[in-house]
């Protein structure tokens, strides 16, 4: 059985507590994971701060290291896929796609390290015409603390760690308690790619202890977090005026109009609602479908799900594996049962075996049902018919969250109208809410947080801008 230990001050060290990590599907023990005590957390942060304050890597060196890390991710794809499947229960198809995206995230971050720049400021436009020139430069913030979720144990970690390093910062990483194996492999990739060991610490453990100690430490200058809105609010209260990128809760909607390409929309919605067993912040949870096509669209969804294999994520052809644990599956099952008890129809799915929930489609749902007004984070999609697209928009907006939305229509005027009224961070036209390319800015509004992932945008967030003026 593997042993995972904290990585502090350039080396692995014994922690103060240990726990057993288990395969999410088989529940077999796979590793002993050691977590640090409070003094070790403080030492890890200060070691990174000292290394970051020392001789700095050139932008080209940062590029070279991160580009090589992207190559190593692809070279070690088999090992990384297996670790993701073990950590999360995602299918090998989902895990492989995450590995491929991670290689791109690392490469993109490296490329952006060479492009980081300030700008000229035209102060001679002032009426007094000062005999000076002015420009800005961007400098690293110092230590970035990355706190990452279970549902993207490789690529989301890369989206926080790689831009931080590209900007010249040091990083303290606390991966999700449930996904330590993948974080350990990414650390080894970065070290083997040439990252100076002092620039990164990796600390395993839970949020109330290790996570809280990191928040209370005064050294980190920036916090990058993906997780629930409740935890995000706690982070902001704790860190005060220090900066953060918070990607928080979501309740994603996609609107399908009567003039949409229904076959294409149905296939994309199936993938977007159920990949990673629906445990994605932008998973399609609420589908607003025009009344004229709702019957055909619902039938298309059901047909697309008929005969799909669920269960063992390592078996070829498995569509979805387990949720992260049985407690999560029980919650999803209870919400579906409550909706059915209040009049919703289960078109397909709705059953559970251990941590595995069948992909579920509901109709006849009401806006106040849990499946419609709370983030389900499971393989369930609810269909609401509409006749007036503005009313569908109003209902899609009627949530504390605002991360992403999708729209299917062949009318460009309608597309612009809907996109202009949806209050979310991203609107995808003729795509689902879950569409994403790793180089684009990704972030939410309202209770979905603030700041952006996407290497170019994250790097700007993780730097400080200084104005310099020069005169004779």
């Amino acid at each position: 059985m593997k042993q995972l230990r904290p990585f502090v001050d350039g080396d692995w060290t014994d922690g103060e507590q240990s726990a057993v990590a288990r395969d999410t599907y088989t529940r077999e023990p796979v590793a002993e994971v050691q977590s640090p005590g409070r003094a070790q957390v403080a030492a890890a942060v200060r070691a990174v701060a000292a290394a970051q304050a020392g001789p700095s890597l050139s932008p080209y060196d940062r590029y070279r290291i991160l580009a090589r890390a992207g190559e190593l991710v692809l070279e070690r794809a088999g090992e990384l896929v297996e670790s993701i499947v073990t950590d999360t229960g995602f299918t090998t198809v989902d895990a492989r796609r995450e590995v491929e995206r991670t290689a791109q995230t690392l490469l993109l971050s490296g490329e952006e390290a060479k492009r980081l720049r300030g700008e000229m400021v035209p102060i001679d436009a002032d009426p007094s015409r000062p005999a000076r020139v002015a420009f800005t430069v961007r400098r690293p913030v110092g230590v970035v603390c990355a706190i990452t979720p279970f549902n993207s144990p490789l690529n989301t970690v890369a989206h926080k760690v790689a831009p931080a390093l590209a900007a010249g910062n040091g990083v303290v990483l606390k991966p999700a308690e449930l996904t330590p194996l993948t974080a350990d492999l990414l650390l080894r990739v970065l070290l083997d790619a040439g990252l100076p060991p002092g620039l990164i610490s990796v600390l395993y453990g839970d949020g109330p202890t290790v996570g809280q100690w990191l928040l209370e430490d005064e050294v980190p200058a920036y916090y990058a977090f993906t997780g629930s809105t409740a935890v995000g609010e706690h982070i902001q209260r704790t860190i005060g005026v220090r900066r953060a990128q918070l990607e928080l809760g979501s309740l994603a909607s996609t609107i399908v109009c009567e003039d949409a390409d229904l076959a294409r929309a149905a296939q994309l919605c199936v993938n977007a609602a159920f990949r990673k067993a629906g445990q994605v912040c932008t998973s399609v949870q609420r589908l607003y479908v025009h009344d004229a096509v709702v019957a055909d669209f619902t039938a298309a969804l059901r047909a697309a799900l008929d005969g799909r294999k669920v269960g063992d994520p390592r078996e070829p052809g498995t569509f979805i594996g387990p949720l992260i644990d049985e407690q999560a599956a029980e919650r999803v099952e209870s919400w579906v049962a409550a909706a059915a008890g209040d009049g919703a129809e289960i078109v397909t799915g709705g059953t559970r075996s251990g941590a595995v929930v069948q992909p579920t489609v509901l109709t006849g749902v009401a806006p106040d049902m849990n499946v419609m007004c709370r983030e389900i984070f499971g393989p369930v999609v609810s269909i609401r018919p509409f006749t007036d697209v503005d009313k569908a928009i109003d209902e899609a907006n009627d949530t504390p969250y605002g991360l992403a939305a999708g729209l299917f229509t062949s009318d460009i005027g309608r597309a612009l109208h809907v996109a202009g009224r949806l209050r979310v961070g991203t609107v995808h036209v003729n795509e689902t809410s879950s569409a994403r390319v790793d180089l684009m800015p990704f972030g939410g509004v309202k209770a979905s947080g603030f700041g952006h992932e996407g290497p170019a945008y994250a790097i700007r967030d993780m730097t400080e801008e200084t104005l310099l003026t020069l005169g004779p």
Side-chain angles (χ1 to χ4, degrees), residues 64-82:
R64 177 182 52 79
I65 291 166
L66 291 168
R68 177 58 182 151
E71 293 173 351
L72 288 175
V73 162
L74 295 179
E75 291 173 13
R76 301 175 187 180
E79 185 180 15
L80 286 163
V81 166
E82 177 57 27

Side-chain angles (χ1 to χ4, degrees), residues 6 101 186 247 271 275-276 343 349-350 363 458-459 461 465:
R101 288 180 59 187
L186 181 59
E247 197 265 280
N271 292 335
R275 71 183 179 94
K276 295 188 174 182
T363 58
I459 288 171
D461 278 356
E465 192 168 29

